[in-house]
Amino acid sequence: MRIQKYIAEAGICSRRKAEELIEKGLVKVNGETLSEFGYQVQENDRVEVDGQEICGFEKKVYYMMNKPVGYVTTVKDQFDRPCVMDFIGEDIKERIYPAGRLDYHTEGLLILSNDGEFVNTITHPKNEIEKKYIAVVNGIVKEENIEKLKRGVMVDKKKTAPAKVFLSEIFKDKCVVEITIREGRNRQVRKMFEAVGHHVIELKRVQIGPLELGNLKLGRIRKLNPNEVQALMSAAGK
Ligand code: URA
Protein backbone atom coordinates (compact mmCIF):
# COMPACT_ATOMS: atom_id res chain seq x y z
CA MET A 1 0.00 0.00 0.00
CA ARG A 2 1.32 3.44 -0.93
CA ILE A 3 2.48 5.52 2.03
CA GLN A 4 -0.14 8.29 1.54
CA LYS A 5 -2.98 5.75 1.52
CA TYR A 6 -1.47 3.97 4.52
CA ILE A 7 -1.40 7.23 6.53
CA ALA A 8 -4.99 8.03 5.50
CA GLU A 9 -6.15 4.50 6.36
CA ALA A 10 -4.62 4.91 9.81
CA GLY A 11 -6.96 7.88 10.24
CA ILE A 12 -4.26 10.52 10.55
CA CYS A 13 -5.39 12.77 7.68
CA SER A 14 -6.37 12.75 3.99
CA ARG A 15 -3.95 11.43 1.33
CA ARG A 16 -3.26 14.99 0.15
CA LYS A 17 -2.39 16.15 3.68
CA ALA A 18 -0.18 13.06 4.01
CA GLU A 19 1.85 14.29 1.04
CA GLU A 20 2.36 17.60 2.83
CA LEU A 21 3.57 15.74 5.93
CA ILE A 22 6.04 13.79 3.79
CA GLU A 23 7.26 17.03 2.16
CA LYS A 24 7.77 18.54 5.61
CA GLY A 25 9.93 15.54 6.57
CA LEU A 26 7.51 14.41 9.31
CA VAL A 27 7.11 10.82 8.08
CA LYS A 28 9.66 8.13 8.97
CA VAL A 29 9.77 4.50 7.88
CA ASN A 30 11.94 2.22 10.02
CA GLY A 31 13.63 5.25 11.54
CA GLU A 32 14.51 6.95 8.22
CA THR A 33 12.82 10.15 7.06
CA LEU A 34 10.86 9.48 3.88
CA SER A 35 11.53 11.69 0.87
CA GLU A 36 9.21 10.25 -1.84
CA PHE A 37 5.45 9.67 -2.23
CA GLY A 38 5.74 6.34 -4.05
CA TYR A 39 6.96 4.26 -1.09
CA GLN A 40 5.04 0.95 -0.73
CA VAL A 41 4.54 0.09 2.94
CA GLN A 42 5.28 -3.54 3.86
CA GLU A 43 3.66 -5.59 6.62
CA ASN A 44 6.58 -5.26 9.06
CA ASP A 45 7.45 -1.61 8.41
CA ARG A 46 7.46 0.72 11.38
CA VAL A 47 5.81 3.96 10.24
CA GLU A 48 5.95 7.14 12.32
CA VAL A 49 4.14 10.43 11.71
CA ASP A 50 5.48 13.37 13.68
CA GLY A 51 7.17 10.99 16.12
CA GLN A 52 4.04 8.86 16.66
CA GLU A 53 3.92 5.24 15.47
CA ILE A 54 0.84 4.50 13.33
CA CYS A 55 -0.84 1.44 11.86
CA GLY A 56 -2.76 1.42 8.57
CA PHE A 57 -3.19 -2.37 8.19
CA GLU A 58 -5.81 -2.95 10.89
CA LYS A 59 -9.08 -4.59 9.91
CA LYS A 60 -11.61 -1.82 9.29
CA VAL A 61 -14.36 -1.62 11.91
CA TYR A 62 -17.39 0.67 12.24
CA TYR A 63 -19.46 1.50 15.31
CA MET A 64 -22.11 3.90 16.52
CA MET A 65 -22.70 5.04 20.08
CA ASN A 66 -25.23 7.05 22.02
CA LYS A 67 -23.04 9.66 23.67
CA PRO A 68 -24.25 10.97 27.03
CA VAL A 69 -23.93 14.62 28.11
CA GLY A 70 -20.73 15.23 30.08
CA TYR A 71 -18.24 13.57 27.72
CA VAL A 72 -15.88 15.07 25.15
CA THR A 73 -15.44 13.49 21.74
CA THR A 74 -11.71 14.27 21.46
CA VAL A 75 -9.44 11.36 22.23
CA LYS A 76 -7.65 13.39 24.94
CA ASP A 77 -9.06 16.49 26.65
CA GLN A 78 -6.94 19.46 27.77
CA PHE A 79 -9.09 19.78 30.93
CA ASP A 80 -9.05 16.03 31.64
CA ARG A 81 -12.84 15.75 31.28
CA PRO A 82 -14.35 12.29 30.69
CA CYS A 83 -14.00 11.17 27.09
CA VAL A 84 -16.24 8.96 24.91
CA MET A 85 -13.30 6.57 24.54
CA ASP A 86 -14.01 5.56 28.17
CA PHE A 87 -16.98 3.58 26.76
CA ILE A 88 -14.83 1.47 24.46
CA GLY A 89 -14.57 -1.95 26.08
CA GLU A 90 -11.54 -4.28 26.10
CA ASP A 91 -13.22 -6.36 23.39
CA ILE A 92 -12.61 -3.62 20.80
CA LYS A 93 -8.92 -3.99 20.00
CA GLU A 94 -8.83 -1.69 16.95
CA ARG A 95 -7.87 1.94 17.44
CA ILE A 96 -11.22 3.52 16.64
CA TYR A 97 -11.87 7.23 17.05
CA PRO A 98 -14.92 9.53 16.67
CA ALA A 99 -16.02 10.74 13.23
CA GLY A 100 -16.57 14.43 13.89
CA ARG A 101 -17.56 16.12 17.12
CA LEU A 102 -20.44 16.41 19.51
CA ASP A 103 -20.23 19.07 22.23
CA TYR A 104 -19.65 18.15 25.86
CA HIS A 105 -23.28 19.18 26.59
CA THR A 106 -24.78 17.38 23.56
CA GLU A 107 -25.90 13.76 23.55
CA GLY A 108 -26.75 11.32 20.82
CA LEU A 109 -25.47 9.63 17.72
CA LEU A 110 -21.72 9.41 17.23
CA ILE A 111 -19.95 7.22 14.67
CA LEU A 112 -16.54 5.71 15.46
CA SER A 113 -14.16 3.87 13.17
CA ASN A 114 -10.51 3.17 12.42
CA ASP A 115 -11.14 3.68 8.68
CA GLY A 116 -9.63 7.09 7.97
CA GLU A 117 -10.99 7.32 4.42
CA PHE A 118 -14.51 6.54 5.65
CA VAL A 119 -14.26 9.09 8.47
CA ASN A 120 -12.92 11.77 6.10
CA THR A 121 -15.70 11.03 3.61
CA ILE A 122 -18.62 11.22 6.01
CA THR A 123 -17.30 14.29 7.87
CA HIS A 124 -16.01 16.35 4.94
CA PRO A 125 -18.20 19.49 4.60
CA LYS A 126 -18.21 19.23 0.80
CA ASN A 127 -20.10 15.92 1.03
CA GLU A 128 -22.93 17.66 2.92
CA ILE A 129 -24.26 14.69 4.87
CA GLU A 130 -27.43 15.66 6.74
CA LYS A 131 -27.36 15.60 10.54
CA LYS A 132 -30.65 15.71 12.42
CA TYR A 133 -30.91 17.11 15.95
CA ILE A 134 -33.69 17.46 18.48
CA ALA A 135 -33.34 20.70 20.40
CA VAL A 136 -35.22 21.73 23.51
CA VAL A 137 -35.06 25.54 23.56
CA ASN A 138 -36.33 28.19 25.96
CA GLY A 139 -39.44 30.15 24.96
CA ILE A 140 -41.64 29.35 21.97
CA VAL A 141 -39.93 29.81 18.60
CA LYS A 142 -42.17 31.97 16.37
CA GLU A 143 -43.04 30.84 12.85
CA GLU A 144 -41.02 33.76 11.37
CA ASN A 145 -37.93 32.54 13.26
CA ILE A 146 -38.49 28.96 12.10
CA GLU A 147 -38.49 30.39 8.55
CA LYS A 148 -35.29 32.35 9.25
CA LEU A 149 -33.58 29.21 10.58
CA LYS A 150 -34.67 27.36 7.44
CA ARG A 151 -33.29 30.04 5.08
CA GLY A 152 -30.08 30.61 7.05
CA VAL A 153 -28.96 32.91 9.87
CA MET A 154 -25.64 34.63 10.56
CA VAL A 155 -23.30 32.45 12.60
CA ASP A 156 -19.72 33.60 13.10
CA LYS A 157 -20.17 36.23 10.35
CA LYS A 158 -21.31 33.66 7.77
CA LYS A 159 -24.84 32.70 6.76
CA THR A 160 -25.77 29.09 7.48
CA ALA A 161 -26.87 26.87 4.59
CA PRO A 162 -30.59 26.07 4.17
CA ALA A 163 -31.85 23.74 6.92
CA LYS A 164 -34.95 21.68 7.62
CA VAL A 165 -36.66 22.96 10.74
CA PHE A 166 -39.83 21.68 12.38
CA LEU A 167 -41.47 22.83 15.61
CA SER A 168 -42.62 19.53 17.07
CA GLU A 169 -43.81 20.23 20.65
CA ILE A 170 -44.81 23.27 22.65
CA PHE A 171 -44.72 23.55 26.46
CA LYS A 172 -45.44 26.52 28.73
CA ASP A 173 -41.99 28.11 28.56
CA LYS A 174 -40.02 25.93 26.16
CA CYS A 175 -40.46 24.00 22.94
CA VAL A 176 -38.94 21.13 20.98
CA VAL A 177 -37.55 21.75 17.51
CA GLU A 178 -36.24 19.17 15.03
CA ILE A 179 -33.46 20.68 12.94
CA THR A 180 -31.49 19.07 10.12
CA ILE A 181 -28.30 20.73 8.88
CA ARG A 182 -25.77 19.84 6.20
CA GLU A 183 -22.86 21.76 7.69
CA GLY A 184 -20.98 20.92 10.86
CA ARG A 185 -19.61 24.18 12.17
CA ASN A 186 -18.54 24.52 15.77
CA ARG A 187 -21.61 24.59 18.09
CA GLN A 188 -23.68 25.37 15.01
CA VAL A 189 -27.14 24.39 16.22
CA ARG A 190 -26.74 26.27 19.51
CA LYS A 191 -25.46 29.36 17.69
CA MET A 192 -28.30 29.21 15.14
CA PHE A 193 -30.89 29.34 17.92
CA GLU A 194 -28.96 32.10 19.72
CA ALA A 195 -29.11 34.07 16.43
CA VAL A 196 -32.93 34.10 16.66
CA GLY A 197 -32.98 34.79 20.41
CA HIS A 198 -33.39 31.31 21.91
CA HIS A 199 -31.13 29.36 24.21
CA VAL A 200 -30.71 25.62 23.67
CA ILE A 201 -31.45 23.78 26.90
CA GLU A 202 -30.93 20.23 25.61
CA LEU A 203 -29.51 18.97 22.33
CA LYS A 204 -29.51 15.47 20.94
CA ARG A 205 -28.30 14.18 17.55
CA VAL A 206 -30.66 11.50 16.29
CA GLN A 207 -29.59 10.88 12.69
CA ILE A 208 -26.54 11.13 10.41
CA GLY A 209 -27.47 10.69 6.73
CA PRO A 210 -29.53 7.49 6.60
CA LEU A 211 -28.29 6.23 9.99
CA GLU A 212 -30.73 6.67 12.88
CA LEU A 213 -29.87 6.47 16.57
CA GLY A 214 -32.97 4.31 17.12
CA ASN A 215 -33.31 2.80 20.58
CA LEU A 216 -29.60 2.42 21.38
CA LYS A 217 -29.29 3.16 25.11
CA LEU A 218 -27.22 6.07 26.47
CA GLY A 219 -23.53 5.16 26.73
CA ARG A 220 -24.02 2.03 24.61
CA ILE A 221 -22.03 1.20 21.50
CA ARG A 222 -22.88 -1.20 18.67
CA LYS A 223 -21.34 -2.37 15.40
CA LEU A 224 -22.64 -0.94 12.12
CA ASN A 225 -23.56 -3.58 9.58
CA PRO A 226 -22.08 -3.42 6.04
CA ASN A 227 -25.36 -2.05 4.62
CA GLU A 228 -25.28 0.85 7.08
CA VAL A 229 -21.64 1.63 6.22
CA GLN A 230 -22.47 1.48 2.50
CA ALA A 231 -25.54 3.69 2.95
CA LEU A 232 -23.44 6.32 4.72
CA MET A 233 -20.87 6.29 1.89
CA SER A 234 -23.70 6.58 -0.67
CA ALA A 235 -25.15 9.53 1.23
CA ALA A 236 -21.74 11.18 0.82
CA GLY A 237 -21.89 10.49 -2.92
CA LYS A 238 -19.32 7.62 -2.87
N1 URA B 1 -24.43 21.73 17.03
C1 URA B 1 -24.14 22.09 18.27
O1 URA B 1 -24.41 23.22 18.69
N2 URA B 1 -23.54 21.19 19.07
C2 URA B 1 -23.23 19.94 18.67
O2 URA B 1 -22.69 19.16 19.44
C3 URA B 1 -23.56 19.58 17.36
C4 URA B 1 -24.16 20.50 16.56
Side-chain angles (χ1 to χ4, degrees):
M1 190 191 301
R2 268 159 75 92
I3 183 72
Q4 301 90 305
K5 182 161 164 50
Y6 184 90
I7 294 171
E9 295 269 313
I12 307 301
C13 56
S14 66
R15 289 188 207 186
R16 228 168 49 85
K17 283 259 160 58
E19 290 181 357
E20 286 172 25
L21 295 175
I22 296 167
E23 274 173 346
K24 285 186 186 150
L26 292 172
V27 178
K28 283 186 182 173
V29 177
N30 303 324
E32 303 243 339
T33 302
L34 204 67
S35 58
E36 36 129 7
F37 299 152
Y39 184 81
Q40 294 284 341
V41 183
Q42 307 300 312
E43 196 72 49
N44 292 326
D45 278 343
R46 189 185 135 84
V47 179
E48 285 168 79
V49 174
D50 203 9
Q52 202 60 26
E53 188 172 355
I54 63 159
C55 180
F57 284 140
E58 263 177 7
K59 177 172 154 270
K60 300 292 174 271
V61 291
Y62 309 86
Y63 291 90
M64 63 185 262
M65 79 174 292
N66 187 354
K67 172 200 169 307
V69 167
Y71 287 81
V72 292
T73 52
T74 43
V75 174
K76 182 103 188 76
D77 181 48
Q78 54 171 331
F79 304 114
D80 257 347
R81 290 176 295 184
C83 162
V84 291
M85 302 314 285
D86 301 348
F87 292 104
I88 312 300
E90 303 257 303
D91 50 322
I92 302 177
K93 300 273 182 271
E94 294 83 5
R95 279 180 288 181
I96 59 173
Y97 60 96
R101 294 181 301 246
L102 266 191
D103 294 340
Y104 182 75
H105 293 290
T106 304
E107 69 175 62
L109 179 57
L110 186 68
I111 296 172
L112 302 110
S113 174
N114 61 347
D115 181 344
E117 300 264 43
F118 168 78
V119 170
N120 286 337
T121 301
I122 64 163
T123 53
H124 201 292
K126 83 169 191 303
N127 293 330
E128 298 189 338
I129 290 210
E130 287 189 338
K131 278 120 352 209
K132 180 173 175 184
Y133 297 85
I134 299 195
V136 180
V137 309
N138 75 335
I140 315 300
V141 186
K142 287 198 192 117
E143 189 51 37
E144 66 192 75
N145 284 333
I146 295 281
E147 290 306 315
K148 273 191 198 163
L149 289 167
K150 281 186 186 169
R151 285 195 303 268
V153 289
M154 293 305 282
V155 162
D156 298 331
K157 300 193 182 132
K158 194 171 167 252
K159 196 171 171 184
T160 56
K164 294 177 190 161
V165 188
F166 172 67
L167 179 61
S168 69
E169 264 185 283
I170 297 180
F171 297 96
K172 198 160 136 265
D173 53 359
K174 62 183 180 185
C175 64
V176 182
V177 183
E178 295 177 15
I179 177 163
T180 304
I181 58 172
R182 289 170 176 270
E183 300 163 290
R185 293 199 243 153
N186 189 25
R187 301 174 65 78
Q188 180 165 341
V189 173
R190 292 172 195 279
K191 288 178 182 172
M192 286 175 77
F193 280 102
E194 295 293 343
V196 293
H198 291 272
H199 177 70
V200 172
I201 306 166
E202 284 169 37
L203 188 62
K204 178 175 184 171
R205 181 156 67 194
V206 292
Q207 193 168 349
I208 299 176
L211 186 69
E212 290 183 46
L213 180 62
N215 53 13
L216 186 66
K217 295 219 164 61
L218 260 186
R220 287 298 175 90
I221 180 161
R222 77 152 170 91
K223 263 198 168 140
L224 296 184
N225 65 46
N227 290 341
E228 289 171 325
V229 175
Q230 189 48 53
L232 281 162
M233 290 299 272
S234 300
K238 307 281 161 186

